Amino acid sequence: GCRLVVSVIEQLAQWHNSTVKAATERLCNYIPGKYQIICHMLCCIDKEMNADVVCHSLKLCKQDPGQPLCHLYPPPKVSWFSTFLKATDCGSFMGFSSVCAFPLLANLCEKIKYVIRNKLPFEDFDGDKYSTFPTLRGYHWRGRDCDDKNATVYPGRRPDNWDVKSDSNCNGIWGVDPKDGIPYEEKFCKGADSQGVVLLGDSAGAHFHIPPEWMTVTQMSVKSFTNLPMAFTDEFDWPQFSEITGFLNSTIGGWTDSLYLRLRRRNRCNHRDLQNISQNGIMYFPINMAVYLSFSLARNQLLDNPAIVIYATIGNDVCNGNRDTLAHMTTPKEMLSNVVQALRYLDSRLPNGSHVILTGLVDGRFLWDNLHDRYHPLGQLNRDITYSQIYSFLDCLQVSPCSGWLTHNETLRNLTSERALQLSNVLKEIARSEKFANFDVFYMDFPLKQTAEEWQKMGGEPWQLIEPVDGFHPSQVAGALGTSITWQKALREWPQVLGKENPFNEQIEAIFKDQGGH
């Protein structure tokens, strides 16, 4: 993180032909409010010091004994030690271990740690696991609560007395039609196969994204960082635009198309019934899944509608940052045990008539093949940093999101894909052979190949399907195209999963329009 910020400051100075001090002030003016502390701490930058040296001198980066010295840029001509001595007077920020150590951000970081640990909204006054606040695991992640003082009112429940007096399930449909005295919920939603969508996923499902304009100095302005507070409090995830639970128009490029939106268009009674229970950086995701779900899944087997549950950890079981990465991958035997354990727990929680879709792992060789020799956003100004260099830097630090795929070692990339295929076959066999009381189980491959083919037919390039800053996650375009491909597959092969079209959708929307509703 320090290296990214320092690199941006140095490039700003170059682009605007200014001093480093002026570039630092420029960046600080771009960044909103308390987040300016991130750039104010970099008071000691010297033009003769590259980002590696600055961050080591601030002690935000360090070299552990016996470990290699990790650097993003070529080492300076003088020795590192003498360069450090030159940069020792860095003020009160020396020695802070992370951004969260700064007093202005400490309280916010504690809130973020809480929601990461519990996967629940930070602001939830009635304890029903739904919120009226967007970030900190609020309604960007699960349907918006319409009464946060009443734990019996939340998205996804079956209506209380057909919602004659109030909207108990937050789908906006309540009251009685004055023409015939029939409750609107009964008239429009009875027998409509209403169901929600739940994602159990990793950072791809949460839609991890760092805006490239944050580090592209030729495009940088105050407008570039207006979304920083929201991104920070959403863990740099954008579930509101994601391919499973997205519901807002994308502001990060591409367009939003999601399973939730398509289910909502198919049946307007499904409004707000969504949950995105995903987390960045979980390793061995299915282990202790029952504990994970018990704190996070909001579904009452007796009171709520059925749900479509998407189980999609498309890379975490083979991805880690360890040097001996193969030894830390999930084995087929572990995969079988962990996923069956998770499904048994779901069987005790999901209402009857639910569905579970197991998604296979991705073939991550696509990443290296399409990105390794391209310039990263940090390297575009001077054409000096490729994705291959970024991958090597992260691997040296042992924080690579996937050492097995983000590597120049072709043999290792192939072995990682081989393990991913083995684990996908385990999921496929589970869907074929395991039976449960309250849901049926389906399997689908992650549609990367079909997505790339479709995108190329539209005139796009394969590398555009990958997040540009991290060079690892699916982009907004990839997610939207993947949704379309998955939906068409479901219509062909499992139409019962999607439920039937609600013939009253137009009437519901017309009433909302007449009443000024949303």
Side-chain angles (χ1 to χ4, degrees), residues 249-428:
N249 292 330
S250 172
T251 60
I252 56 174
W255 65 96
T256 301
D257 189 2
S258 71
L259 178 60
Y260 163 73
L261 283 177
R262 288 179 177 244
L263 287 171
R264 184 188 180 280
R265 283 197 293 269
R266 195 172 181 83
N267 180 4
R268 176 60 179 73
C269 301
N270 292 329
H271 182 54
R272 291 188 181 176
D273 195 356
L274 64 100
Q275 297 179 58
N276 190 316
I277 306 174
S278 301
Q279 184 169 329
N280 302 334
I282 282 186
M283 300 302 174
Y284 309 114
F285 184 89
I287 292 179
N288 294 323
M289 175 66 90
V291 175
Y292 181 92
L293 288 176
S294 67
F295 286 104
S296 307
L297 179 67
R299 216 64 180 180
N300 186 303
Q301 203 164 37
L302 300 178
L303 297 178
D304 297 348
N305 287 321
I308 301 174
V309 177
I310 311 294
Y311 188 104
T313 57
I314 64 171
N316 275 0
D317 286 282
V318 295
C319 285
N320 59 76
N322 295 288
R323 296 266 162 79
D324 54 342
T325 181
L326 291 170
H328 290 82
M329 294 179 186
T330 302
T331 66
K333 184 177 180 181
E334 290 170 335
M335 191 73 164
L336 176 63
S337 173
N338 295 332
V339 174
V340 169
Q341 176 191 2
L343 292 175
R344 287 173 180 164
Y345 178 76
L346 284 174
D347 202 29
S348 71
R349 293 292 303 275
L350 291 176
N352 190 261
S354 295
H355 311 281
V356 173
I357 300 174
L358 305 177
T359 304
L361 280 70
V362 71
D363 185 350
R365 289 176 293 192
F366 184 89
L367 302 169
W368 179 269
D369 292 347
N370 288 287
L371 281 185
H372 76 276
D373 56 353
R374 296 189 61 82
Y375 289 109
H376 186 269
L378 271 184
Q380 288 174 6
L381 181 65
N382 296 312
R383 302 178 71 82
D384 59 347
I385 300 177
T386 63
Y387 282 95
S388 176
Q389 290 169 263
I390 291 286
Y391 295 156
S392 295
F393 174 60
L394 296 176
D395 192 51
C396 178
L397 293 172
Q398 298 184 51
V399 296
S400 171
C402 197
S403 294
W405 277 324
L406 307 184
T407 174
H408 61 83
N409 186 331
E410 183 179 6
T411 300
L412 183 55
R413 297 198 304 271
N414 290 338
L415 288 172
T416 303
S417 288
E418 183 180 317
R419 177 62 60 86
L421 180 59
Q422 292 170 354
L423 299 184
S424 294
N425 287 335
V426 170
L427 295 176
K428 192 180 298 185

Side-chain angles (χ1 to χ4, degrees), residues 76 176 408 419-420 464 486:
V176 176
H408 61 83
R419 177 62 60 86
Q464 295 170 317
T486 300

